[in-house]
Each structure stands twice: as structure tokens, then as C-alpha cells.
Amino acid sequence: MTMTRTKKLFTTLIAIAMIFCTMFAITVPTSAATCSSGISTRTITVKTKANYWIPGSESITISQSKGVCTKKNYNIFTGKTTYKNSNQYGEWDITVRATDGSHTFYKTLKDGSIKLNLKPNKTYNITIKWDSTAATIKCLSKGNYTSYPTWRVKSTYKVSSYY
């Protein structure tokens, strides 16, 4: 190989590597915001796009996994402590706001999943916040969370992007 061919090959390989790294760097933060990080509050930005050829309204579905609650019981007569585990869903307060201020609503994720119906051709900020009051009430009968539930974006319909 001549020196110019080696330089061109090296330059091409560097360019391909840079493109690959750029594409990888773009995908990492988008997936990070679309699932819970413990019980901290997260905000997702969702852009909808109208497609009148496909029936149905624009939507995003958020699902959650169960956490583990542990209840501690102490028996006075035997002096033994027993622990009872149960799998429980958490409660998440969801606020959906269009960035132009035209559409706002609130929902609560209590069960396995919830579907949020959106308007076409809008950008939304969806804030998902752990409901600590509901968790405290649940602790009275089920015990404390030893492993918190988590949520994630399960599916989208007629959504051009979310991050």
C-alpha cells in the first residue's frame, strides 16, 4: 500500500468510529429519562405527530413493576420476630402539560400500567413523582418498602420522539 492509501484508510476508519460514538452517545441519555431512578421525580418530554391515515389517538403507556414490602411482627409470648414479605405496586403522581399551555391533566399510576392520551402535533412535559403519602399509608398495613417499585415507558402510539 502506498502512503496516501494508508492515510485515506486511516481517515475513513476514524470517521466511522466518530460517527458510531456520536450515535451511541445520543441514545444513552434518551433511555435514561424514560424509566424511574428509585423514588426520585423524573420528567419526560414527548412529541406527538398527527397521522390521520392511522386510526386512534396519540398516547404513551407507562407501566410499573412491584416493589417488596416487609412487615415485622413481634410475638410477645414467644419472644420471636417474624417477617412477612409482599409484592406491592407503588403510587406515582403524573402531571401532563403541553409546552404551549393548551392541554394539562393529572393521573395516578396505582396498578400495573396507565395509558395517557395526548393531542396531535404537540410537545408535552410529563412529570412522574413518587407519592410518599400513599406509601406511608400502605406501610401501616403492609410494612415498609425494602425494594421500591419502578416505572418505565412501556409503549407509545403516534409519538415521534420521547426522551
Side-chain angles (χ1 to χ4, degrees):
M1 278 182 142
T2 64
M3 188 61 130
T4 56
R5 282 189 176 176
T6 306
K7 285 182 181 178
K8 283 184 181 182
L9 179 64
F10 182 72
T11 305
T12 304
L13 289 175
I14 294 295
I16 290 171
M18 289 177 66
I19 291 170
F20 178 75
C21 290
T22 303
M23 289 173 46
F24 179 73
I26 290 171
T27 61
V28 170
T30 59
S31 64
T34 60
C35 61
S36 67
S37 174
I39 56 174
S40 61
T41 301
R42 289 279 182 131
T43 300
I44 304 170
T45 302
V46 177
K47 295 180 181 180
T48 61
K49 183 164 179 141
N51 186 346
Y52 299 106
W53 297 104
I54 301 173
S57 65
E58 295 74 6
S59 67
I60 185 167
T61 303
I62 299 170
S63 67
Q64 71 169 317
S65 64
K66 290 183 177 182
V68 178
C69 286
T70 303
K71 183 163 183 155
K72 179 180 175 181
N73 293 317
Y74 178 74
N75 188 327
I76 298 172
F77 302 110
T78 62
K80 293 184 179 180
T81 302
T82 59
Y83 297 93
K84 182 178 180 183
N85 290 335
S86 61
N87 296 328
Q88 299 293 321
Y89 287 121
E91 283 196 31
W92 304 86
D93 295 327
I94 301 172
T95 305
V96 182
R97 284 192 178 100
T99 55
D100 64 1
S102 64
H103 188 221
T104 301
F105 62 94
Y106 307 93
K107 295 279 186 171
T108 302
L109 173 60
K110 295 180 186 178
D111 298 320
S113 66
I114 189 167
K115 183 177 180 180
L116 306 172
N117 291 319
L118 308 171
K119 303 277 185 191
N121 296 324
K122 296 218 178 279
T123 301
Y124 288 91
N125 289 326
I126 300 174
T127 303
I128 303 171
K129 180 182 176 198
W130 175 253
D131 189 344
S132 58
T133 305
T136 303
I137 292 170
K138 190 171 284 195
C139 287
L140 296 175
S141 64
K142 302 293 183 182
N144 293 322
Y145 278 104
T146 54
S147 172
Y148 287 102
T150 59
W151 61 265
R152 66 179 180 85
V153 174
K154 181 179 179 182
S155 64
T156 60
Y157 187 68
K158 294 169 80 173
V159 169
S160 61
S161 68
Y162 63 98
Y163 50 91

